[in-house]
Amino acid sequence: MKFKAQEKQNQLIENITAQHLVVGIDIAQQTHVARAVNFRGIAIGHPLSFSNDEDGFLNLLRWIQSLQAAHNLTAAIIGMEPTGHYWLNVSKWLSEHHFEVVIVNPHLVKKNKENRDNTPSKSDKKDALVIADMVKNGYYSFVRNAPEAFEELRVFLSNRDSIVTRLVSAKNQIHRWVDVVFPELRQVFKSLMCTGSLATLRLFPTPEELRKLQPQDIIEGWKSLMKRHSGERKARALITLASSSVGSKQATHAYKLHLKQLLDEYDLACQQLKAVEAEIIALLDRIPFAKAMLAVKGISAISLAGVLGEAGDLSGFVHGNALLRHAGLNLAEASSGKWTGQMKISKRGRSRLRRFIFLMTMSLVANNPEFKALHAHNVQVKKMKKMRSLMKLCGKLARILVGMARSREAYNPHKTMPLQLAAKVYLIVMLYEVWLIRGISKESTEYRIH
């Protein structure tokens, strides 16, 4: 169903007729609980507990059919919380059996749990009834069933996030290990994760081992792992610093074993990251409009895959603002009477999608001429704070992505920025660069822009 933004709530309520059985399911890992109400919110039948398997789903189906027959209802709508991954199987099973499945926001479930009994008590049966009430009142959204390519992207991106987390953890622990055992290594290598530093840690990690070696021995060891070694000067510096190291001299065997495992974890994470990113890039070729989006300067394959994996097929969004709302980047206002609060983003959406849209916007501002010019115009002329300008450009990006997906057209810089504004903004950017190069004050009257 397509909705006009100002009429969405009414249309969601009108979607539920007097012939509907409204079912709310409280999702759990092993046993779900279902409650049912009619379109007026009157509870129907007894609660049902059913297992998370085929027998349990069939039991739910018989329960729904019996309630429909008993109350002369011909349609059913089933709502549930998207709790972790536990809801996916029952949702897909019900959709395959031609039921209308919707989801409710867990944040709203918590806020509405006192509507029935005016108490903060919580139970599975009560939560299922609260969910059914929310669906009856129109506080739900439809499940977006994305094509398989988008589902694969989402799985790959989730996998990539876990790999990156492990990789960063391994790097941080290697830094800690060096600080404890051989802190002087930082004086030889600017980056502890460079090839020469990692080769040194693999071959002779502790100062005690380095003290016994000659520069040529270190160079020969480097040659076994690197095509271009770090040179004799660094080899001599390592031996000199190892002779006067203040690092820990106890538990050497334990520290060496720990470092070996950290390096193995680092290598494994690097290999897995390379493999999953190759799969992501190959998968983007199967999406029709992805090639045109990747042609835009500043959009990388990983950031685009993150947006598509979380949002699904962008052509399903009627407007870029719908994508912003899906990500939780829509604005929320708090005001009352004469008091007007600060406008903030709602953050009621997918956090990972929000992150990828923001990172893509940052990349565009740094690399794309049109976005760079628009950002300069917002900051220099409209006197916006930089973060507010970035948030505004996130909306611009969302509208561009949805427009490209729906029209299947290539990126058009002239549509991104009107010609009159483009000329003015490029002048501002050029003058701003002059200010930076020559050190001229922005307040200088001869460079003011009217």
Side-chain angles (χ1 to χ4, degrees):
M1 296 182 66
K2 294 183 178 180
F3 300 103
K4 293 182 179 180
Q6 65 271 23
E7 300 175 357
K8 180 179 178 180
Q9 191 66 34
N10 290 339
Q11 294 184 49
L12 288 173
I13 297 173
E14 290 170 358
N15 181 50
I16 300 174
T17 67
Q19 296 301 312
H20 268 88
L21 177 72
V22 183
V23 179
I25 300 179
D26 182 65
I27 298 295
Q29 184 180 28
Q30 296 179 348
T31 303
H32 311 304
V33 176
R35 295 290 299 271
V37 299
N38 64 11
F39 80 107
R40 294 179 60 192
I42 300 174
I44 296 175
H46 298 288
L48 172 72
S49 297
F50 62 99
S51 57
N52 188 32
D53 53 29
E54 180 73 16
D55 292 337
F57 297 166
L58 290 173
N59 193 18
L60 172 66
L61 177 61
R62 289 190 293 268
W63 180 76
I64 292 174
Q65 291 173 344
S66 65
L67 289 178
Q68 287 180 310
H71 296 85
N72 297 320
L73 302 176
T74 58
I77 182 170
I78 302 172
M80 62 190 70
E81 288 180 294
T83 306
H85 56 274
Y86 302 134
W87 68 285
L88 293 173
N89 292 335
V90 62
S91 171
K92 291 180 180 178
W93 191 91
L94 289 168
S95 297
E96 290 171 358
H97 285 73
H98 310 292
F99 284 103
E100 190 173 21
V101 180
V102 297
I103 55 177
V104 298
N105 191 328
H107 182 76
L108 291 180
V109 174
K110 185 176 181 180
K111 285 182 174 294
N112 283 274
K113 68 179 181 179
E114 297 187 25
N115 289 350
R116 281 269 178 172
D117 54 8
N118 196 30
T119 65
S121 62
K122 174 180 171 55
S123 67
D124 293 343
K125 295 179 181 179
K126 180 179 177 179
D127 287 348
L129 188 58
V130 171
I131 293 170
D133 280 339
M134 289 178 60
V135 174
K136 180 263 299 184
N137 291 328
Y139 303 127
Y140 63 88
S141 58
F142 293 95
V143 179
R144 294 176 54 85
N145 293 317
E148 186 177 3
F150 296 94
E151 184 71 21
E152 288 186 23
L153 273 180
R154 187 173 182 182
V155 174
F156 282 142
L157 264 297
S158 178
N159 186 16
R160 183 182 180 276
D161 276 359
S162 64
I163 293 171
V164 169
T165 300
R166 288 169 35 223
L167 181 61
V168 171
S169 175
K171 287 182 179 180
N172 291 340
Q173 290 186 74
I174 290 172
H175 277 265
R176 178 190 177 279
W177 190 97
V178 170
D179 290 337
V180 173
V181 179
F182 191 15
E184 294 80 7
L185 187 64
R186 296 181 183 275
Q187 301 178 31
V188 181
F189 299 102
K190 292 182 180 179
S191 172
L192 289 182
M193 306 313 297
C194 70
T195 307
S197 174
L198 291 176
T200 304
L201 291 174
R202 295 179 198 280
L203 295 169
F204 12 78
T206 61
E208 287 80 6
E209 294 177 77
L210 286 168
R211 291 177 196 148
K212 303 173 184 177
L213 301 176
Q214 297 297 321
Q216 193 58 37
D217 299 328
I218 297 176
I219 291 173
E220 290 298 324
W222 282 341
K223 286 181 178 179
S224 65
L225 297 179
M226 298 186 293
K227 292 182 179 180
R228 296 181 60 186
H229 59 77
S230 300
E232 184 177 350
R233 183 178 61 83
K234 287 191 175 181
R236 292 185 180 279
L238 277 173
I239 296 173
T240 303
L241 291 170
S243 301
S244 58
S245 175
V246 296
S248 175
K249 298 177 177 59
Q250 296 180 333
T252 304
H253 176 71
Y255 276 121
K256 288 176 67 175
L257 177 60
H258 185 205
L259 177 62
K260 182 180 181 302
Q261 293 177 342
L262 288 176
L263 291 172
D264 290 342
E265 175 67 16
Y266 173 79
D267 292 339
L268 177 61
C270 287
Q271 293 173 6
Q272 292 178 340
L273 183 62
K274 185 177 180 181
V276 75
E277 288 185 349
E279 291 285 350
I280 289 171
I281 293 171
L283 188 57
L284 286 175
D285 293 336
R286 292 165 46 189
I287 299 175
F289 52 79
K291 186 176 181 180
M293 292 179 179
L294 289 174
V296 180
K297 188 176 182 181
I299 295 182
S300 67
I302 299 302
S303 60
L304 179 60
V307 172
L308 298 180
E310 286 296 310
D313 189 355
L314 295 182
S315 61
F317 291 93
V318 295
H319 193 272
N321 292 342
L323 177 60
L324 290 179
R325 184 173 290 276
H326 191 57
L329 285 170
N330 56 304
L331 294 178
E333 179 186 7
S335 61
S336 177
K338 296 181 179 180
W339 174 78
T340 301
Q342 186 179 3
M343 296 284 286
K344 297 181 179 180
I345 59 173
S346 67
K347 294 187 179 180
R348 293 287 191 269
R350 293 184 179 273
S351 60
R352 190 181 297 166
L353 176 60
R354 194 159 58 242
R355 169 164 58 92
F356 278 115
I357 290 177
F358 180 76
L359 291 177
M360 188 183 291
T361 304
M362 290 281 288
S363 176
L364 287 168
V365 168
N367 301 289
N368 186 280
E370 293 76 40
F371 274 79
K372 185 184 295 185
L374 287 171
H375 184 59
H377 179 72
N378 291 338
V379 174
Q380 300 298 322
V381 178
K382 294 186 175 181
K383 304 301 180 183
M384 288 185 185
K385 292 184 178 180
K386 291 183 179 180
M387 183 56 69
R388 184 181 177 186
S389 174
L390 289 172
M391 289 295 104
K392 185 176 181 180
L393 292 176
C394 284
K396 184 79 172 179
L397 172 63
R399 291 188 289 273
I400 290 174
L401 293 179
V402 172
M404 291 177 67
R406 290 178 65 85
S407 66
R408 297 294 196 269
E409 293 181 1
Y411 173 71
N412 188 344
H414 300 297
K415 288 185 178 180
T416 303
M417 189 165 51
L419 291 178
Q420 294 180 349
L421 178 60
K424 184 176 180 181
V425 170
Y426 279 122
L427 176 61
I428 294 168
V429 173
M430 187 167 58
L431 290 177
Y432 184 61
E433 291 177 353
V434 171
W435 288 331
L436 293 178
I437 294 172
R438 297 185 180 180
I440 300 173
S441 172
K442 297 178 186 179
E443 287 74 21
S444 177
T445 55
E446 60 178 316
Y447 286 109
R448 284 185 181 175
I449 299 171
H450 300 284

